[in-house]
Amino acid sequence: MSQSVRTRPEGSGRALSEAYDTALLDLDGVVYAGGNAIVHAVESLATARAGGMHLAYVTNNALRTPDTVAEHLTELGIPTGADDVITSAQAVARLISEQVPAGSRVLVIGGEGLRVALRERGLVPVESAEDDPAAVVQGYGGPDLAWGRFAEASYAIARGVPWFASNTDLTIPSARGIAPGNGAAVEVVRIATGAEPQVAGKPLPPMHRETILRTGAERPLVVGDRLDTDIEGAFNGEVDSLLVLTGVTDGAQLLAAPPQHRPTYVDADLRGLLTGQPEVAEEGDGFRCGGWIATAGAERLELDGDGEALDGLRALCAAAWTAAGEGSCALDAGKALARLGL
């Protein structure tokens, strides 16, 4: 996929699990939510795997190790090996290893996932700025991460030690709601030091590179629920993407998406891997998908017809993205979305 301006979701005459060799799947909001499998996820992934598609799980959460993530997925009924899990901890550890000598000490502000990834790259995790670290790495450490860890990072960074972050997601979903993510913790250290970290996680290239190196994918499909990490990461990596509406993105956010946040395909959930995707075609002054026609007026999007709600949303995307060009759509979409129950 080139980085030209996308003006509509694409269609596929084949099931996506047949058209692509590897699914690079986000976890939270795609496969599970609050630790529990999302409806249709287990059976859809089993069918895709049985048909020959390689499944890899790609997460910005640097707290848990690949072994722990694989065990969790297996318990949910999705048999997974640690080699099928790629984390931002692994991506940032590789980034650090390319800039400091083998055997270097690295000050860890985060959890076990970071420590395991650093050791895998021949680096030595340490806990104090007084341990003469060659780098500082910061990743999500969970709700119990002590405030003093941020001070430890600040002391080392103020001495000129290079600073790395696994990712900068400001929030993270939890069983009780939305909680501060690693990006919020990175902001604490940024305010204290005035420094800028090198970041590895989605949507940036080091994370995409890590997934390709570890999976060997030749025709990957990124599957996610977030426009600013999953879909933008696919855009940056110049690969196709499937947005599922089981996580944080709603219809209004999708319609307003700038070019780097526009997915190749849109579906309700992971059953979208098992089917073709309907074509969105120009018709008159608008776009048709299934039984719906969408047009962009001077101030609002208009929708006419009936049928599957997702077909209406796909048609609306074509009208909105075309009207927006290289920007994001400012047209009132409320009435059109209300017709679809979205």
Side-chain angles (χ1 to χ4, degrees), residues 201-243:
K202 295 184 284 187
L204 297 173
M207 188 66 170
H208 181 71
R209 180 181 61 154
E210 193 72 19
T211 64
I212 299 304
L213 286 172
R214 288 181 179 269
T215 65
E218 295 182 358
R219 184 160 170 74
L221 178 70
V222 170
V223 185
D225 70 308
R226 295 184 70 120
L227 300 179
D228 61 347
T229 54
D230 306 315
I231 305 308
E232 185 176 342
F235 177 87
N236 290 337
E238 298 187 341
V239 298
D240 289 347
S241 60
L242 167 66
L243 177 76

Side-chain angles (χ1 to χ4, degrees), residues 146-171:
W147 185 261
R149 302 305 298 153
F150 305 142
E152 209 64 43
S154 299
Y155 300 147
I157 294 165
R159 298 172 188 166
V161 175
W163 177 28
F164 297 80
S166 63
N167 67 296
T168 51
D169 297 10
L170 291 173
T171 62

